[in-house]
Amino acid sequence: MNIGIVAWNCRQAFRKKVEKLARFRPEIAVISECESIERLGDKHTSLFPNALWFGDNLHKGLGVFSTSAYSLTVHPAYDPRFRWVVPICVTGLESFTLLAVWTKDHKDRKQGYIGQLFLALQQYQTLLEKETCLVVGDLNSNAIWDSLPRVGNHTAVVQMLKEYGVESTYHCFFQEEHGQESVPTYYFHHHREKGYHIDFCFLPVEWIERVESVHIGTYEEWREWSDHVPVVVKVGERLKGN
C-alpha cells in the first residue's frame, strides 16, 4: 500500500489550515504547534478521522493524524519525560512505530531542542532495534548548529539513527548532506532570505528504496499559513516477498 507522510509546523489554528493538506492526500500527518482536538472540532475528520494530541497549551501542541486506513495508539513504551518525542503504534495494511517529534526548549538548556531527541532516542533504543520505526516532525535542528552546547547535536542524532537503519528521506532522495540543504523548510520571521532546513522525515532504509517523491512546500505558497512549509513524502507499495 502507498503511504503519504506529512510533517508540518502549522503555526497554530490548524482548523483553518487542515484543508491545505488535502491535495497531498497523506495517510499520516505530524503537525507541530497544533491546537487541541477539542478546538479543532470536526475540521480534520474528512481528511484525518483518527487523531492524537499532546500538550498543555490548547492552542499549541503536537498533533498526529491518520486516515481511516490506519489506527493510532500511544506506544506502551512512551516515557513522558520526553513529552515531545512520542512513540505511536500505527496499525493498518502496513504497521510501524512512529516517533512524532516537536523539539522545544528546556529548563536545562543543554537538554533543549535536539538534546531532547538525542536523549529520547537513547531511551527508545529497544524500539529502534526491534521495531520498524519512523521519526517525523519539527526537529528545530540542523547540522549547522552542531557547536551549540547540547547533550547531543544534530550530527550525533543522524548517526545514531543511521546505526539503527533509519535515515533522512530528503537527504537520501536528493543526495544532499546534512547542513548543506538547498531547500529550506522554515523561514525565520517569514523572511525568505533566512531559510533553514529543520523539518524531517526519517524512514527505515528499506522504505527509502520505495520512496516515489519528496516534496518541500514553497515559500510563496505557504508564507501566509506558517513560517514552516510542509515536508511531504510518498512511499510506494512494498515489493512482493519483502
Side-chain angles (χ1 to χ4, degrees):
M1 182 177 182
N2 293 333
I3 303 175
I5 304 165
V6 169
W8 186 36
N9 183 319
C10 70
R11 206 181 185 210
Q12 305 183 62
F14 188 51
R15 67 190 182 281
K16 299 178 181 178
K17 305 173 184 182
V18 60
E19 293 178 357
K20 281 286 293 179
L21 298 179
R23 69 182 175 89
F24 300 124
R25 301 182 65 83
E27 279 70 42
I28 305 292
V30 176
I31 308 297
S32 305
E33 296 197 24
C34 179
E35 61 201 326
S36 69
I37 303 303
E38 291 75 18
R39 287 187 55 81
L40 265 174
D42 62 357
K43 294 293 185 181
H44 67 287
T45 54
S46 61
L47 185 60
F48 302 118
N50 302 317
L52 296 173
W53 184 85
F54 308 88
D56 48 20
N57 180 340
L58 298 181
H59 301 276
K60 196 174 181 180
L62 176 63
V64 181
F65 301 86
S66 73
T67 65
S68 58
Y70 292 92
S71 65
L72 306 172
T73 56
V74 177
H75 199 291
Y78 176 46
D79 187 334
R81 290 180 302 166
F82 308 106
R83 63 180 310 182
W84 305 112
V85 183
V86 184
I88 295 168
C89 299
V90 183
T91 306
L93 293 178
E94 192 154 0
S95 298
F96 51 91
T97 297
L98 168 69
L99 288 168
V101 180
W102 174 34
T103 70
K104 300 176 65 177
D105 56 5
H106 192 278
K107 60 183 179 181
D108 178 353
R109 293 190 65 184
K110 290 186 177 181
Q111 295 186 38
Y113 297 108
I114 195 63
Q116 293 178 30
L117 182 56
F118 179 82
L119 293 172
L121 292 177
Q122 290 183 327
Q123 174 66 24
Y124 296 132
Q125 62 180 336
T126 300
L127 302 186
L128 292 164
E129 288 172 352
K130 297 183 177 180
E131 301 180 13
T132 299
C133 291
L134 287 62
V135 180
V136 180
D138 176 6
L139 272 58
N140 275 311
S141 177
N142 190 285
I144 62 175
W145 299 310
D146 272 357
S147 62
L148 292 177
R150 308 285 187 207
V151 292
N153 60 27
H154 186 90
T155 297
V157 165
V158 170
Q159 183 59 38
M160 187 188 307
L161 288 172
K162 187 173 183 178
E163 290 172 0
Y164 292 111
V166 180
E167 298 195 38
S168 168
T169 311
Y170 171 89
H171 296 83
C172 292
F173 192 82
F174 292 109
Q175 293 295 293
E176 294 184 2
E177 297 295 324
H178 285 269
Q180 300 180 22
E181 297 86 359
S182 59
V183 184
T185 66
Y186 165 69
Y187 297 89
F188 182 68
H189 289 173
H190 291 271
H191 295 306
R192 184 170 187 169
E193 67 277 10
K194 295 181 179 180
Y196 303 96
H197 194 106
I198 64 174
D199 303 89
F200 297 85
C201 176
F202 287 84
L203 299 180
V205 290
E206 59 268 24
W207 282 38
I208 287 178
E209 296 173 357
R210 296 160 47 195
V211 169
E212 296 178 347
S213 64
V214 178
H215 172 79
I216 308 295
T218 64
Y219 172 82
E220 291 79 9
E221 179 179 359
W222 294 90
R223 60 175 297 185
E224 68 175 289
W225 302 97
S226 176
D227 46 359
H228 291 247
V229 298
V231 176
V232 185
V233 174
K234 291 288 186 181
V235 181
E237 293 187 12
R238 180 169 49 190
L239 296 176
K240 292 182 179 179
N242 290 349

